């Protein structure tokens, strides 16, 4: 049976101190950030015991759950990036809108006869019920 190895993490300013203990030995290291500290702990564990025979418990403030929450938050949080700046067009003029509707993909167009019929219908004003009643 293997003895568990304990990796304890303590934050000191921007750096993390990691202490790995097991098999009657204790090693310490430092790293800039919890992700790097976790990698450093793995390196220290390799010095204490062969990797295939070790079970490592990672603790933050004595809690494996607290370590896991802090580590996963650091792994899954995207770095803060500056907003994208779109430069103005090269000619200095803004593009003019040519039409309100996007172009119809080729093959999806209406036959010319149907398209002409639609445009003539739009040209005729629609009769309202009130005007129809006045003319009769």
């Amino acid at each position: 049976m293997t003895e568990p190895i304990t990796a304890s993490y303590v934050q000191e300013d921007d750096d993390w101190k990691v202490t790995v203990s097991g098999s009657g030995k204790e090693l310490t290291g430092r790293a800039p950030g919890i992700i790097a500290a976790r990698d450093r702990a793995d390196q220290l564990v390799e010095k204490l015991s062969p990797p295939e025979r070790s079970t490592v418990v990672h603790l933050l403030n004595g809690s494996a759950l607290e370590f896991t929450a802090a580590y996963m938050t650091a792994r899954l949080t995207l770095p803060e990036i500056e907003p994208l700046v779109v430069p103005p067009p090269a000619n200095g003029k803004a593009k003019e809108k040519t039409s309100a509707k996007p172009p119809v993909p080729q093959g999806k167009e209406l036959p010319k006869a149907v398209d002409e019929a639609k445009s003539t219908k739009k040209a005729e004003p629609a009769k309202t019920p009130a005007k129809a009643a006045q003319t009769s």
Side-chain angles (χ1 to χ4, degrees):
M1 188 165 138
T2 61
E3 179 183 336
I5 297 173
T6 305
S8 299
Y9 299 81
V10 177
Q11 187 173 10
E12 296 176 347
D13 297 322
D14 290 337
D15 292 339
W16 287 80
K17 177 183 172 187
V18 60
T19 304
V20 176
S21 57
S23 304
K25 299 176 189 173
E26 185 173 284
L27 300 172
T28 60
R30 296 181 69 79
I34 194 164
I35 296 171
R38 171 67 167 77
D39 292 340
R40 183 70 178 123
D42 287 342
Q43 294 168 357
L44 296 173
V45 166
E46 287 178 9
K47 292 180 182 180
L48 287 180
S49 163
E52 64 275 354
R53 296 198 44 177
S54 60
T55 301
V56 183
V57 179
H58 299 270
L59 304 172
L60 175 61
N61 298 327
S63 169
L65 179 61
E66 195 169 330
F67 170 80
T68 303
Y71 180 74
M72 293 307 294
T73 300
R75 292 290 294 196
L76 298 174
T77 303
L78 295 175
E80 211 172 287
I81 57 173
E82 294 183 27
L84 179 64
V85 177
V86 179
N91 62 7
K93 295 180 183 177
K95 290 184 179 181
E96 297 177 18
K97 291 187 178 181
T98 55
S99 73
K101 294 182 182 179
V104 177
Q106 189 173 12
K108 301 288 183 181
E109 301 163 344
L110 293 173
K112 190 173 183 178
V114 174
D115 201 25
E116 287 174 355
K118 279 180 66 178
S119 63
T120 57
K121 270 190 176 178
K122 286 183 183 177
E124 296 175 10
K127 292 185 179 181
T128 60
K131 286 184 181 179
Q134 290 174 354
T135 55
S136 21

